Amino acid sequence: MTPRQFAKIAISFPGAVEAEHMGHPDFRFSGKIFASLNAADGDLGMVKLTPTQQAAFLETHGEVFLPCSGAWGRAGCTHIVLASVHPKLAHSALELAFENVVEAQPKRPKPKSS
C-alpha cells in the first residue's frame, strides 16, 4: 500500500478531511486526528485505536501493526507498515480509528419540536 492509498481511504469516511500536523499529513473528523502518515519517509501510517483494538491487531497481524512509542502507544496509537499491509486490513483499522473519534464527539441536543 502506498501513502496515497492510505490517504485516499482515510478521507473516504463521511466528514473526514486531510490536514497537517508537525510537518506530516493527518486525517481528522471534526478537528480530531484519527490517523496520520509518517513525515520522514512515508513508510508508516498511524491509527488511533483503543488499547483493546490495538492488542487485537497486534495479536493477529503483528508483522504489520506496531504500537507507537511511549504513552501514545500505550493509549492505542498504532503504526501500520504500509508496504506490508493489505488495503482491506488498512481500511478496517482506519475505519475503527475514525469511529473512535466520531463516538468521542459530544452529542448535540436535538431541537425541540413545537
Side-chain angles (χ1 to χ4, degrees):
M1 159 170 270
T2 66
R4 193 68 229 141
Q5 290 170 312
F6 182 90
K8 186 175 179 181
I9 294 169
I11 61 172
S12 72
F13 301 111
V17 297
E18 184 172 344
E20 185 178 312
H21 177 70
M22 299 180 70
H24 59 86
D26 65 35
F27 308 94
R28 303 168 185 239
F29 174 79
S30 193
K32 301 294 182 184
I33 296 171
F34 66 91
S36 67
L37 283 166
N38 181 309
D41 52 22
D43 62 343
L44 294 175
M46 185 282 299
V47 288
K48 284 188 174 180
L49 302 174
T50 67
T52 302
Q53 292 166 339
Q54 179 191 66
F57 277 100
L58 294 175
E59 184 178 327
T60 58
H61 302 285
E63 71 285 356
V64 176
F65 293 90
L66 311 164
C68 294
S69 61
W72 287 103
R74 289 189 298 276
C77 290
T78 307
H79 286 302
I80 301 175
V81 180
L82 296 180
S84 302
V85 69
H86 189 281
K88 286 183 181 181
L89 185 57
H91 186 280
S92 295
L94 282 160
E95 186 171 34
L96 281 173
F98 175 77
E99 289 172 356
N100 291 340
V101 169
V102 170
E103 290 173 6
Q105 297 298 309
K107 305 295 183 223
R108 293 184 179 154
K110 292 183 180 180
K112 294 181 181 180
S113 56
S114 309

